[in-house]
Amino acid sequence: QVQLQESGPGLVKPSGTLSLTCSVSGGSIRGYYWSWIRRPPGKGLEWIGNMYYTGTTNYNPSLKSRVTMSIDPSKNQFSLELTSVTAADTAVYYCAKKTGSYYDNYFDYWGQGILVTVSS
Amino acid sequence: QSVLTQPPSASGTPGQKVTISCSGGTSNIGSNTVHWYQQLPGTAPKLLVYSHNQRSSGVPDRFSGSKSGNSASLAISGLQSEDEADYFCATWDDSLNGPVFGGGTKLTVL
């Protein structure tokens, strides 16, 4: 059973950089796509980006200029960096495993989520 | 504002059948498969139904999904108190070149 666990600071200052790591256990990170998704308070889910274990990325165009995802197969971890954060980036951030085909894909395993608050 | 439109709330009494709708457009629901996630209070989203009507492992057959045109729906029959949760629809969007979600529907079991 694949398990994912997010880690990182729960508080980030405005204009700063949000950095999170997702540790994967119970299975290899190799051969799969890995994603970050967030849910702002009182709102729905928003896809941030996907990364293949080889390093190929695909980001949400609305966040693309501020997002960087990276992956370390040797540690079975992948990471998210979001720069120039504002209060609008306050959300619960989830890492997830993506499965399925290119157009018929979905998230079959999720981390428990980590609340990141942007505030001075 | 979410790309896919869901009613913000739904409710029913134990044993009833409830249907949650999800509306999109030709670039998303109209041309791709739809998936549903359940998020119980304080927990991570869980895959409930994928590829329109395939139930994820362990999901009871009380849950069923369907799609027609640019809309989809999730039906929950024999409603139980433990079904009280937020439900999200999701699909691929050809314009975004990525997945999109609905705003979520909070289901209350009265």
Side-chain angles (χ1 to χ4, degrees):
Chain A
Q1 176 89 345
V2 175
Q3 292 186 314
L4 296 88
Q5 178 71 58
E6 305 88 350
S7 60
L11 181 64
V12 181
K13 294 187 187 308
S15 77
T17 297
L18 179 159
S19 297
L20 297 174
T21 296
C22 183
S23 299
V24 180
S25 59
S28 176
I29 208 167
R30 298 178 191 276
Y32 298 100
Y33 283 89
W34 304 91
S35 304
W36 288 98
I37 297 155
R38 67 182 183 180
R39 185 177 185 187
K43 296 186 178 181
L45 297 166
E46 179 181 34
W47 168 70
I48 299 171
N50 294 334
M51 168 167 265
Y52 195 45
Y53 79 103
T54 55
T56 304
T57 56
N58 180 25
Y59 300 140
N60 187 324
S62 68
L63 298 168
K64 188 174 183 177
S65 63
R66 298 193 292 129
V67 170
T68 302
M69 290 179 62
S70 58
I71 197 161
D72 188 342
S74 68
K75 294 183 178 179
N76 239 30
Q77 292 179 336
F78 62 102
S79 300
L80 169 71
E81 280 200 347
L82 182 66
T83 61
S84 304
V85 298
T86 68
D89 295 309
T90 294
V92 176
Y93 285 75
Y94 299 98
C95 58
K97 173 181 167 288
K98 188 168 79 81
T99 191
S101 64
Y102 190 86
Y103 294 109
D104 181 16
N105 58 81
Y106 43 89
F107 304 101
D108 56 351
Y109 292 97
W110 297 65
Q112 66 183 31
I114 182 169
L115 174 62
V116 179
T117 302
V118 178
S119 175
S120 54
Chain B
Q1 184 142 350
S2 301
V3 173
L4 306 180
T5 301
Q6 297 180 238
S9 63
S11 63
T13 57
Q16 268 191 330
K17 179 179 181 179
V18 169
T19 301
I20 296 172
S21 63
C22 175
S23 176
T26 54
S27 67
N28 41 69
I29 293 179
S31 50
N32 296 296
T33 55
V34 179
H35 322 292
W36 291 89
Y37 298 90
Q38 177 193 59
Q39 187 169 28
L40 297 168
T43 68
K46 165 192 164 185
L47 180 64
L48 196 65
V49 170
Y50 62 96
S51 303
H52 298 322
N53 55 14
Q54 304 300 301
R55 282 182 295 276
S56 187
S57 177
V59 174
D61 59 7
R62 301 187 295 105
F63 293 87
S64 62
S66 63
K67 169 187 150 174
S68 177
N70 296 337
S71 295
S73 61
L74 174 72
I76 309 171
S77 60
L79 201 60
Q80 299 180 5
S81 58
E82 56 260 40
D83 297 334
E84 196 161 276
D86 291 336
Y87 292 85
F88 295 91
C89 58
T91 187
W92 184 266
D93 189 284
D94 296 334
S95 300
L96 179 70
N97 195 33
V100 290
F101 293 92
T105 298
K106 185 176 184 61
L107 175 63
T108 301
V109 181
L110 303 169

